[in-house]
Amino acid sequence: MAPCSSEDPYPTEISFHCPNKPSYLDTVEEVDEVDSSADSAGQIGRGTAFNSSISEARTLSIVNVERDPSGSVRRHRRGAMLDERAASAERVTALESAFRGFAERKSDEVLYPVIGLTFDSIGESYDYYNLFSWECGFGIRYGKSRLNVKGSKCMQELLCNCSGKPTKENSSSSRTECAAMIRLLRTDDNAWYICEFRATHNHLMLKTCAQKLHFPSHRHIDKYTRELVLQLRENNVNLSKVYSIIGTFFGRIENVPFTKRCLRTLCGKISRDQADEDVRKTMDLFSDLKDKDPEFDYSVRVDGDSRIRTLMWTNGSSKLQYHHFGDVITFDTTYHTNLYDMPFGLFVGVNNHFQTVIFAGVLMRDEKVESFNWVFREFVKMMGGKVPVTVLTDQARAMEVAIGQVWPDITHRWCKWHVMKKAKESLGVHYHKRSEFRIEFHKLVQDMLTVKEFEDAWQALVKKHGLETNTFLIQIYEVRHKWAKPFFAGKFCAKQTSTQRSESANHMLKNYIPPGCPMNLFVRQYSKLLFDRDQEEGFQEKRTILGGSILKVNIPIEKHASKIYTRTMFEMFGSFLFAAGSYNVEELIPRRKYVATHINAAKRERYLKSVFEIELSPEGDFFSCECGLFEHMGMVCCHIIKVMSELRLSEIPKRHIMKRWTVEARDILPDHLRHYQKDVGLHETHTFRHSKMYIAALELVKMGDMNVSAYDAVMTCLIEGKHKVTPLCGNTDGMSIVEKEASIARSNCQSQQRADSNVHSIAKSNGVSRGRDVSDAQAEAEFRSANISRDKAKQAMSEGSCVNGGEQSSESLKW
């Protein structure tokens, strides 16, 4: 189609410059030129030979276009009308008519608008004219419209995309004041018909698909594709991958009916829609989560303008995980990918499968001391008041101060990974990949076990490389007790020495959450991360319950470990057992002291410790190795395993079995119900009334676990029953399980007190009789050895935390 122009912006002659113009179009133009008031129906009738193939039972709806003597179209006044005409099986649509007659017309265009052509709705007419514009090489848009006195639309114009004037004289606008258009009016049966058609354009027509697709009318994205794009973007699929995925639905990417630029515009609109009323959507989401999970909890801290400063939330599953494995946590706030650039912190730990578990998430506006104070207090409050034993963080000073104020009695350590990262940034050329300093520095940080070894090796390292005055090394050496491995000895950390758990969780979060996402989407995607973590934990539980154990040595102590540990921890025990084969054991003091020496001690590097001392308690139930792995992790080291093998032990001593790594790690009950734990058991046979109530309670728990409504009903029943029964428990008959346990414990305590008094007298008299040959320290050692049985008895009576396998000090036991 060639460009054309006219002095008259609204020519009465309807011309279409096409060398293969259909004959019926000539008929319409010729009649319109001779007598504009002629019967339009006759014009269309003479020019619509392409409809002859349509069945007589189904006809194309054509209206008479009435004109005034001046030649303008007469528009009838109508009242309230429906937006579209009702569909009819007896009526042929304009699009179907054009397709059926295309073969007979033998023209280049499948579609062509003609005056009087009717449509059921504006949408149908828009689609028809848009398909016609695609064939010709231009785009369309909606123009002027009119409403009648009843508020019904009675006129609509569809214009060329280049119509109108540019807003600025010197601009890149594509507006050329093109006059091409169609004007639609209403019929008596609520349909629309073309009353005016102008085909003349004053600009070039586009030829290729790549060019035409950039017209807004030709890059339509249907609602199903929009929904697909929404779901993909919410799950952090980038733009290029979204476009490729959509291309697979259309066969190949060339068939996608819109451009990547159009898709980018849609993604921007989706992001803006998600960000609208973000706080309200987030609070609504929290309400929904609370309805589904009664244990879900969140806390909001606002400023003076009621803007959110800190937002923390957790769910019932995370609370239960913290109850079992909340002894050691890591906290890190390095994640910043959200709409408000707020730091996101994760409280993370490890379960009995050595998997990462997430306890809570927090969004913070700033990282000040007061903010961290609020976060740590609220975290403990959400978790029922339980304070962790050890916390690992980065080197943020504000976080360190807040922990000292809120949790003054816990162990706080820095992440070694952050120390390494800052060393790389601060030491420059001394820390490149192949530098000797870097290799020796890593060995110093990772392999030194004692404080003296670490300090001596540090001084030798900085002196060798002339870094005695390096500011960074001086600073981190002064705070070595916060991050160096020897200072972790005796501090239970569940084998964690860095915030790598938190950072790996942050890395996983990036796979779920798109950059710049609003808060409500952040919370939804965070819930998906928790779901996936639960799925992974379920797999490990299934592997532990049903999977077999692969033995490496097939000795009794290994078989015992396969029964008590989860599969992951048993595999870790197997690696220690394998490493034990590299040591030889020498007995220094029979049944008291041993030395484990590496078989290649002479060939090993000097910084690697090759000789370890292991001490055995007089009762033979506890081993102590100078490597400190058991105190740090809760698993026996390879040196202790070697000594156990030499002593031909068939089982791991109970004091070396930390409950948090076993299959029964979740079997932890409150103090007054501890006798129901599987690893404790009852000393007396159940009474009839106890057994009957126990079974009834289990049945009630089973019913309450069916759904949320049943849970609420059961909890209400139990709370009311507790209030009703409490006044009746004042008078006891001495037959309850708790009273029997208390009676046995009191009797044991009295016996041990008498034994302690006798042992103390004997130890004291022995110390005096020996005179000056026996020191006070030796007498005290004999006294401690004699009191071992007393401590063991108290330990059997007490309950503990998950750090020591469910044991706590007997001082907290009150009768």
Side-chain angles (χ1 to χ4, degrees):
M1 186 174 297
C4 71
S5 62
S6 175
E7 296 180 358
D8 183 4
Y10 301 102
T12 56
E13 177 182 359
I14 301 177
S15 59
F16 180 71
H17 298 275
C18 178
N20 297 319
K21 182 168 55 176
S23 58
Y24 70 89
L25 298 178
D26 295 329
T27 305
V28 173
E29 292 173 1
E30 184 176 337
V31 172
D32 200 27
E33 289 177 16
V34 176
D35 183 5
S36 60
S37 62
D39 188 345
S40 297
Q43 298 173 18
I44 300 301
R46 290 189 297 270
T48 54
F50 61 93
N51 292 323
S52 59
S53 61
I54 302 176
S55 172
E56 295 181 358
R58 302 176 68 239
T59 59
L60 177 65
S61 177
I62 301 296
V63 301
N64 296 328
V65 180
E66 300 180 10
R67 297 181 182 274
D68 294 332
S70 61
S72 60
V73 178
R74 180 179 299 169
R75 181 161 55 92
H76 295 277
R77 303 291 179 181
R78 294 182 175 86
M81 295 178 290
L82 299 176
D83 292 335
E84 60 183 37
R85 179 174 60 182
S88 173
E90 304 298 329
R91 186 169 52 248
V92 178
T93 64
L95 190 61
E96 180 184 353
S97 175
F99 286 159
R100 287 178 178 272
F102 173 68
E104 297 181 4
R105 292 197 308 272
K106 299 180 180 180
S107 60
D108 293 337
E109 291 76 24
V110 178
L111 308 176
Y112 192 79
V114 291
I115 296 176
L117 194 61
T118 62
F119 306 93
D120 289 342
S121 64
I122 291 180
E124 182 184 348
S125 61
Y126 180 91
D127 292 339
Y128 187 92
Y129 192 39
N130 194 39
L131 288 173
F132 167 71
S133 68
W134 173 267
E135 288 189 284
C136 298
F138 67 98
I140 67 169
R141 60 185 175 87
Y142 285 102
K144 294 187 297 184
S145 63
R146 289 178 183 170
L147 303 178
N148 61 17
V149 293
K150 297 295 185 179
S152 299
K153 185 178 290 189
C154 59
M155 189 275 288
Q156 177 69 60
E157 291 181 353
L158 299 179
L159 311 177
C160 173
N161 196 72
C162 296
S163 65
K165 295 182 180 180
T167 55
K168 296 181 181 180
E169 183 177 353
N170 185 19
S171 68
S172 59
S173 174
S174 61
R175 300 290 177 89
T176 62
E177 299 185 68
C178 180
M181 62 164 288
I182 64 171
R183 180 176 287 121
L184 302 167
L185 295 178
R186 303 302 297 268
T187 64
D188 294 333
D189 58 349
N190 298 322
W192 296 83
Y193 71 95
I194 299 177
C195 70
E196 185 176 355
F197 169 47
R198 298 173 186 171
T200 304
H201 294 264
N202 62 356
H203 55 86
L204 293 173
M205 299 291 117
L206 303 182
K207 302 298 182 183
T208 65
C209 268
Q211 295 171 346
K212 298 176 187 178
L213 277 175
H214 289 283
F215 282 118
S217 63
H218 297 321
R219 58 188 188 196
H220 173 69
I221 304 179
D222 61 87
K223 64 178 183 179
Y224 303 106
T225 304
R226 288 173 181 266
E227 184 65 25
L228 175 62
V229 172
L230 174 63
Q231 297 297 330
L232 292 175
R233 291 297 292 169
E234 284 185 351
N235 288 277
N236 200 20
V237 181
N238 63 47
L239 188 68
S240 298
K241 289 183 179 180
V242 171
Y243 198 70
S244 299
I245 292 171
I246 293 174
T248 60
F249 285 93
F250 287 92
R252 56 178 185 170
I253 201 167
E254 290 82 0
N255 295 338
V256 178
F258 50 86
T259 62
K260 189 179 290 187
R261 182 184 296 271
C262 177
L263 180 62
R264 186 179 294 109
T265 303
L266 174 62
C267 292
K269 182 178 182 299
I270 290 173
S271 298
R272 289 191 296 272
D273 292 341
Q274 290 174 340
D276 289 343
E277 300 182 344
D278 190 21
V279 174
R280 182 189 60 80
K281 292 179 180 177
T282 304
M283 295 298 106
D284 291 344
L285 179 59
F286 281 159
S287 298
D288 294 340
L289 293 174
K290 184 71 173 178
D291 293 338
K292 297 176 182 177
D293 181 8
E295 293 298 319
F296 179 86
D297 195 8
Y298 68 93
S299 183
V300 183
R301 176 171 170 250
V302 297
D303 58 13
D305 298 328
S306 297
R307 295 180 301 176
I308 293 178
R309 295 191 62 182
T310 315
L311 175 65
M312 180 188 293
W313 69 95
T314 186
N315 59 13
S317 175
S318 296
K319 288 181 179 180
L320 191 61
Q321 294 279 24
Y322 182 80
H323 175 68
H324 297 142
F325 311 110
D327 43 11
V328 180
I329 65 173
T330 64
F331 182 67
D332 184 67
T333 57
T334 58
Y335 190 84
H336 283 255
T337 306
N338 54 72
L339 181 63
Y340 312 102
D341 196 30
M342 297 172 67
F344 178 69
L346 278 176
F347 289 94
V348 173
V350 290
N351 61 8
N352 56 336
H353 302 286
F354 211 67
Q355 290 178 308
T356 298
V357 289
I358 300 175
F359 301 134
V362 56
L363 281 167
M364 308 173 62
R365 186 187 297 178
D366 56 60
E367 297 182 79
K368 298 179 180 179
V369 175
E370 59 177 350
S371 298
F372 285 119
N373 277 336
W374 184 89
V375 168
F376 295 143
R377 282 197 301 266
E378 288 297 319
F379 175 73
V380 172
K381 187 185 298 183
M382 283 184 176
M383 298 301 167
K386 178 181 177 180
V387 178
V389 176
T390 305
V391 176
L392 298 172
T393 67
D394 57 18
Q395 301 173 45
R397 176 60 181 168
M399 200 181 302
E400 181 180 0
V401 172
I403 291 176
Q405 294 176 354
V406 180
W407 300 329
D409 299 327
I410 70 170
T411 300
H412 177 215
R413 291 291 183 266
W414 284 351
C415 165
K416 285 198 303 185
W417 181 85
H418 284 281
V419 175
M420 298 291 193
K421 182 180 178 182
K422 288 195 174 183
K424 181 178 180 181
E425 297 171 354
S426 304
L427 296 175
V429 295
H430 297 283
Y431 203 83
H432 60 82
K433 285 187 177 180
R434 298 182 181 180
S435 68
E436 184 180 358
F437 172 82
R438 181 178 181 274
I439 296 174
E440 294 180 358
F441 182 75
H442 277 240
K443 291 177 180 178
L444 171 67
V445 173
Q446 300 291 346
D447 299 325
M448 295 301 170
L449 296 177
T450 65
V451 175
K452 187 176 185 307
E453 287 176 347
F454 176 83
E455 292 177 347
D456 292 344
W458 183 277
Q459 298 299 333
L461 178 64
V462 296
K463 184 176 181 180
K464 176 181 177 181
H465 295 276
L467 297 173
E468 295 93 335
T469 59
N470 184 275
T471 305
F472 170 75
L473 293 178
I474 293 174
Q475 290 176 349
I476 63 172
Y477 181 74
E478 290 177 350
V479 291
R480 59 191 179 278
H481 62 282
K482 284 286 188 180
W483 60 271
K485 185 175 181 178
F487 296 93
F488 279 80
K491 304 295 184 181
F492 182 74
C493 297
K495 204 184 178 182
Q496 300 182 77
T497 56
S498 72
T499 58
Q500 187 177 1
R501 293 279 176 178
S502 293
E503 287 159 9
S504 63
N506 283 333
H507 179 72
M508 290 187 292
L509 203 60
K510 291 180 181 178
N511 296 327
Y512 293 83
I513 298 177
C517 74
M519 196 178 300
N520 66 88
L521 179 59
F522 194 100
V523 175
R524 282 204 303 271
Q525 297 303 105
Y526 171 85
S527 300
K528 292 182 180 180
L529 172 62
L530 293 183
F531 175 79
D532 286 351
R533 299 313 304 165
D534 290 342
Q535 294 290 309
E536 290 297 322
E537 184 177 357
F539 170 75
Q540 292 296 335
E541 289 287 344
K542 174 256 180 185
R543 193 164 77 101
T544 299
I545 296 173
L546 301 179
S549 303
I550 300 177
L551 304 179
K552 293 181 179 294
V553 187
N554 195 26
I555 59 177
I557 196 171
E558 184 182 17
K559 293 180 180 180
H560 179 239
S562 68
K563 297 177 181 178
I564 60 176
Y565 290 127
T566 61
R567 285 294 164 263
T568 303
M569 300 312 297
F570 171 70
E571 291 167 359
M572 194 175 296
F573 177 86
S575 65
F576 295 151
L577 181 62
F578 179 81
S582 300
Y583 287 87
N584 294 322
V585 173
E586 180 183 357
E587 189 177 46
L588 299 182
I589 301 177
R591 306 290 298 183
R592 291 297 300 274
K593 192 173 185 179
Y594 301 84
V595 172
T597 306
H598 198 278
I599 57 177
N600 294 324
K603 299 180 180 179
R604 302 185 86 191
E605 298 185 31
R606 58 181 177 80
Y607 61 85
L608 291 177
K609 188 174 179 62
S610 301
V611 180
F612 298 88
E613 291 187 359
I614 301 97
E615 294 183 358
L616 178 61
S617 64
E619 286 71 25
D621 62 347
F622 187 78
F623 295 81
S624 176
C625 180
E626 62 177 326
C627 73
L629 181 65
F630 176 76
E631 292 77 9
H632 173 69
M633 179 191 174
M635 291 277 288
V636 289
C637 60
C638 59
H639 319 113
I640 294 178
I641 293 176
K642 185 66 176 179
V643 175
M644 290 180 179
S645 300
E646 292 293 326
L647 296 176
R648 300 183 184 278
L649 297 183
S650 59
E651 292 185 353
I652 302 173
K654 290 184 177 180
R655 294 181 63 184
H656 282 289
I657 300 175
M658 183 167 287
K659 189 173 182 178
R660 77 169 335 271
W661 302 126
T662 66
V663 294
E664 303 294 343
R666 291 175 174 81
D667 182 33
I668 299 177
L669 297 176
D671 294 354
H672 60 288
L673 300 176
R674 185 173 180 267
H675 50 274
Y676 289 108
Q677 288 183 191
K678 296 179 181 179
D679 59 336
V680 176
L682 295 172
H683 294 174
E684 294 291 332
T685 307
H686 293 246
T687 61
F688 172 76
R689 67 186 183 189
H690 181 278
S691 300
K692 192 169 184 179
M693 288 187 296
Y694 187 77
I695 295 174
L698 290 179
E699 291 178 351
L700 199 61
V701 170
K702 179 181 178 181
M703 292 186 292
D705 195 35
M706 295 299 179
N707 53 60
V708 176
S709 300
Y711 167 82
D712 293 336
V714 170
M715 288 302 299
T716 302
C717 179
L718 292 176
I719 292 173
E720 293 177 352
K722 182 178 179 181
H723 290 316
K724 185 177 180 179
V725 175
T726 299
L728 305 178
C729 298
N731 298 324
T732 61
D733 56 7
M735 298 299 294
S736 67
I737 298 296
V738 176
E739 289 181 317
K740 291 182 179 180
E741 291 288 326
S743 176
I744 295 173
R746 284 195 298 269
S747 177
N748 290 338
C749 286
Q750 293 173 359
S751 300
Q752 289 301 323
Q753 288 176 357
R754 289 192 296 269
D756 293 344
S757 178
N758 295 333
V759 170
H760 181 72
S761 301
I762 295 172
K764 185 176 181 181
S765 61
N766 289 340
V768 173
S769 63
R770 291 179 184 178
R772 296 179 181 179
D773 296 333
V774 180
S775 65
D776 293 338
Q778 291 174 326
E780 183 66 21
E782 290 184 14
F783 173 69
R784 289 198 304 267
S785 176
N787 287 342
I788 294 270
S789 58
R790 179 199 63 184
D791 295 337
K792 186 176 180 181
K794 288 186 178 181
Q795 184 181 17
M797 292 161 40
S798 62
E799 158 144 18
S801 64
C802 56
V803 177
N804 55 19
E807 297 176 351
Q808 72 177 19
S809 173
S810 60
E811 296 176 357
S812 63
L813 191 63
K814 297 182 180 180
W815 307 105

